[in-house]
Amino acid sequence: ESDCFNVVRLNKIYRQSNRSDIVINAHKIMTNEEIDLSKKSNDFIFIKQSNPDNVMDSVISLVRDKLPSYVNASSNELQIMTPMRKGPLGVEALNSFLQKSLNPSSNQKKEKEYDATVFREGDKVMQIKNNYQKEWFVYNDKKMPVDKGLGVYNGDIGTISEIDMLTGLSISRDLNALNGDISTGIGNGIDRLVFPQPVNMLSTNRGDLVSLL
């Protein structure tokens, strides 16, 4: 607007589906157009709730009971986003609530507490420190290594498949979307549950389906 620089505005849908209501509504938001929230859609659903408890109930109903079969994905492949860290619908409160609902405590699951957070086998976790020298392996159905590499990075997401109670190490798979097994210490790079994520991490990661609070 200052005319000090040449400006190009991207207002045409190219690589994204022009039939997706998510994409269409995102462009409407950018151009201050009104969104029809009552419209039936295959990929954009708006559920109005004003009470935090009702919001949590709706999230659990969607992520645990309804959406996995609809999109043919597990609950861990569905990403919940929230714009805040604190408060009843912030990352911290939601992580505790969703962990209890989606991956409850069990005698068959080992768990370890670190920095007031309980990490449990089956939890969805995030790498928050770059480790360029960390080795990972990809295994076939017979548990034989078929590929390997170096490097796990801030924002990579995985699932705790095993916790070694003696060494305190967790083995997380699917970090870096490579289906690789990575042995790393809780508190040594992986120390964040990410059943929900803050919105600012959406550019770092992707899910098969996003539930935005």
Side-chain angles (χ1 to χ4, degrees), residues 86-100:
K86 304 291 185 180
L89 294 177
V91 170
E92 296 175 6
L94 280 171
N95 260 323
S96 177
F97 174 75
L98 291 169
Q99 183 189 45
K100 292 176 183 177

Side-chain angles (χ1 to χ4, degrees), residues 65-174:
D65 304 326
K66 296 180 179 180
L67 291 178
S69 59
Y70 181 72
V71 299
N72 192 28
S74 69
S75 294
N76 265 4
E77 293 175 288
L78 309 180
Q79 188 58 60
I80 302 166
M81 309 299 298
T82 180
M84 48 200 165
R85 293 192 177 276
K86 304 291 185 180
L89 294 177
V91 170
E92 296 175 6
L94 280 171
N95 260 323
S96 177
F97 174 75
L98 291 169
Q99 183 189 45
K100 292 176 183 177
S101 301
L102 300 176
N103 189 35
S105 179
S106 167
N107 292 333
Q108 284 72 47
K109 298 176 185 176
K110 299 174 187 175
E111 55 185 50
K112 184 177 179 64
E113 184 173 350
Y114 171 77
D115 196 22
T117 298
V118 173
F119 291 85
R120 184 175 299 132
E121 292 175 345
D123 279 345
K124 190 174 183 179
V125 292
M126 177 185 287
Q127 177 84 13
I128 63 170
K129 295 179 181 178
N130 291 331
N131 187 337
Y132 303 103
Q133 302 304 316
K134 193 65 183 179
E135 191 171 25
W136 50 260
F137 296 89
V138 176
Y139 296 91
N140 60 19
D141 294 338
K142 297 180 180 179
K143 304 300 181 182
M144 298 294 292
V146 294
D147 195 9
K148 66 178 182 178
L150 290 176
V152 289
Y153 306 99
N154 178 32
D156 285 348
I157 290 179
T159 302
I160 298 177
S161 57
E162 182 180 354
I163 294 178
D164 188 322
M165 299 304 293
L166 182 63
T167 64
L169 292 177
S170 67
I171 302 173
S172 299
R173 65 172 181 264
D174 298 336

